[in-house]
Amino acid sequence: MTGFSTARLARVDTFLDEKYVRTKRLPGTLTMIARGGEIAHLGVTGMADVERGRPVAADTIFRIYSMTKPLTSMALMMLVEEGSIALDDPVHRYIPAWKNLAVFESGTDKLGYKTRPVTRPMQVVDLLRHTSGLTYGFQLRTNVDAGYRARRIGEIEKAGTLDDMIAGLADLPLEFSPGDAWNYSVATDVCGWLVQVVSGEKFEDFLHRRIIAPLGMVDTGFHVREGQGHRFAACYQPTQAGGIELQDDPATSSYLAPPSFVSGGGGLVSTASDYMKFAQMCLDGGRTASGERLISRKTLDLMTANHLPGGQSMAEMSVSMFSEAAYAGVGFGLGFAMTGDSASTLMPGSDGDYFWGGAASTFFWVDPAEDLACVFMTQLIPSSTYPVRRQVRTMVYAALDD
């Protein structure tokens, strides 16, 4: 027994179908819930590919975008465990061209920037907790992120390589001095670069060998492999009329071939069952289902503690309008957001649960206090379009019956 009400769990799928799928707000959904090491619920609604009439299935492959970040962060923390790199190391120790990074004061990418020195050098921990001063071009907020767009830095499906990104960032100013604020950014892509530099192994090979393969995540990778295309979902974007339109056709998607830019911040495709293996490993304190230890229980505790300076929340420290940063009571660890004060979030949950989501509205969370994990999959960009994550989370906790 997993301690859920079957009737209340059924409400989740009914709600998603009636509110989002039948109204053509979402193409389809998949909700997988585990508790006590068992799958308590697998619910599917709607279509993986509306144009071809292909329904969502248990083995549908989704673009998980930023749900890549926890895996990349864990890969880097494996190297921290081994003494190969430390959280307080200056990043320029591994990227010498970044030694003289400075903070933006004025100017543009075209005309040049006026800058000031950083208060302190960027540290490895700043990359993991998004206090590095880096940004994303899609923030559409400052002259610095405009520079990212002009140089196409961090654009997963568009241009360049990881090497190009690292070199390009050496010529751009930081948004703020490291540690002074929280800003969602390409920092986790940089973590992937550090894994590569420190391990002496290609980042994608290290990730596969140390995490993906031991967990048996057979459908997870940086592209959809040959023979899997019929399982790959289409991705959509909202229309002004309130419906959806195709954003990325699975038949012609760039994800059908290995990428030039291997993005530790957002490059993976996966299935719900694959990602649940990662989430369950986290619940099991760093061990796989077969008993192999991937990471120490204490390292995982460190990763899921709030690392924002002074114990602040993302809402207090964020300089951008990123959706998850709006939640009071939510801090950020080393690769995961975490709930520091569940009452302040105005959502059910537990202090110490941790989570993150992807640009196409995917989402997962892990709640050690309840021995619970949930993976939610759909494909709609941007993830801020609807409050579906909050709604699913509320309904899953409402289904507890023990």
Side-chain angles (χ1 to χ4, degrees):
M1 297 291 291
T2 57
F4 280 103
S5 161
T6 303
R8 284 177 169 245
L9 283 178
R11 290 181 188 174
V12 179
D13 304 325
T14 301
F15 172 82
L16 291 169
D17 186 49
E18 292 179 351
K19 185 172 181 67
Y20 287 107
V21 177
R22 294 188 193 180
T23 57
K24 303 188 186 308
R25 294 175 175 177
L26 292 175
T29 67
L30 190 158
T31 309
M32 180 178 281
I33 305 164
R35 196 170 190 224
E38 298 179 36
I39 300 300
H41 182 73
L42 173 62
V44 298
T45 69
M47 296 292 163
D49 187 334
V50 173
E51 288 70 26
R52 296 174 179 84
R54 183 159 49 85
V56 174
D59 65 350
T60 295
I61 296 172
F62 299 89
R63 302 157 193 77
I64 63 169
Y65 288 109
S66 288
M67 282 168 58
T68 305
K69 287 180 169 70
L71 279 79
T72 300
S73 301
M74 187 168 289
L76 184 56
M77 290 303 294
M78 288 174 166
L79 294 170
V80 171
E81 281 193 330
E82 295 166 10
S84 300
I85 188 170
L87 291 176
D88 59 355
D89 281 348
V91 174
H92 68 250
R93 179 174 298 174
Y94 307 96
I95 310 176
W98 286 22
K99 186 169 186 180
N100 296 314
L101 289 179
V103 179
F104 173 84
E105 284 201 330
S106 63
T108 67
D109 193 60
K110 189 173 184 179
L111 299 175
Y113 297 103
K114 179 182 177 183
T115 62
R116 58 180 170 81
V118 295
T119 304
R120 65 159 175 80
M122 184 193 303
Q123 297 176 335
V124 172
V125 68
D126 291 311
L127 297 172
L128 287 159
R129 68 185 181 186
H130 292 288
T131 58
S132 63
L134 300 170
T135 191
Y136 267 126
F138 65 68
Q139 298 277 18
L140 303 176
R141 194 181 61 87
T142 68
N143 287 357
V144 177
D145 63 52
Y148 279 53
R149 294 192 299 279
R151 302 179 188 217
R152 303 173 81 178
I153 287 175
E155 296 184 12
I156 298 170
E157 300 170 52
K158 305 290 192 328
T161 65
L162 187 54
D163 299 46
D164 295 336
M165 188 196 79
I166 296 299
L169 287 171
D171 299 325
L172 284 167
L174 300 174
E175 293 271 19
F176 49 82
S177 193
D180 284 358
W182 187 91
N183 190 49
Y184 204 42
S185 74
V186 298
T188 316
D189 290 314
V190 182
C191 289
W193 172 260
L194 293 182
V195 169
Q196 190 163 282
V197 169
V198 173
S199 71
E201 186 176 3
K202 284 185 179 180
F203 165 62
E204 60 268 40
D205 293 343
F206 184 96
L207 194 70
H208 185 269
R209 183 174 63 85
R210 296 289 297 269
I211 298 176
I212 293 173
L215 284 171
M217 298 172 71
V218 295
D219 293 316
T220 301
F222 288 99
H223 72 286
V224 178
R225 295 193 296 276
E226 188 174 350
Q228 294 182 320
H230 65 288
R231 294 164 49 202
F232 187 37
C235 195
Y236 296 87
Q237 59 192 9
T239 64
Q240 288 188 342
I244 56 174
E245 62 184 8
L246 193 63
Q247 185 267 342
D248 186 36
D249 189 332
T252 57
S253 174
S254 61
Y255 282 94
L256 297 176
S260 61
F261 174 37
V262 179
S263 172
L268 287 176
V269 296
S270 189
T271 62
S273 58
D274 267 14
Y275 208 87
M276 184 59 81
K277 292 174 182 175
F278 175 76
Q280 187 63 53
M281 177 271 295
C282 291
L283 273 179
D284 290 339
R287 288 190 187 275
T288 69
S290 64
E292 179 181 352
R293 177 162 297 285
L294 298 191
I295 200 159
S296 160
R297 174 176 57 83
K298 296 302 291 184
T299 300
L300 193 58
D301 288 347
L302 182 66
M303 292 181 70
T304 55
N306 186 13
H307 284 263
L308 297 184
Q312 296 180 80
S313 70
M314 286 196 289
E316 294 170 303
M317 286 199 70
S318 178
V319 296
S320 62
M321 294 299 292
F322 187 70
S323 59
E324 261 77 5
Y327 295 156
V330 173
F332 206 88
L334 307 179
F336 306 88
M338 53 77 63
T339 301
D341 179 8
S342 57
S344 296
T345 70
L346 301 182
M347 289 187 291
S350 304
D351 289 357
D353 67 36
Y354 50 97
F355 58 90
W356 205 238
S361 303
T362 60
F363 181 60
F364 84 101
W365 82 90
V366 173
D367 185 340
E370 294 289 346
D371 198 10
L372 180 153
C374 181
V375 176
F376 175 75
M377 297 291 204
T378 188
Q379 297 281 260
L380 182 78
I381 289 177
S383 62
S384 57
T385 308
Y386 301 114
V388 63
R389 295 170 172 173
R390 187 184 193 106
Q391 291 163 334
V392 168
R393 181 180 173 107
T394 297
M395 296 187 80
V396 169
Y397 280 109
L400 286 172
D401 193 31
D402 58 354

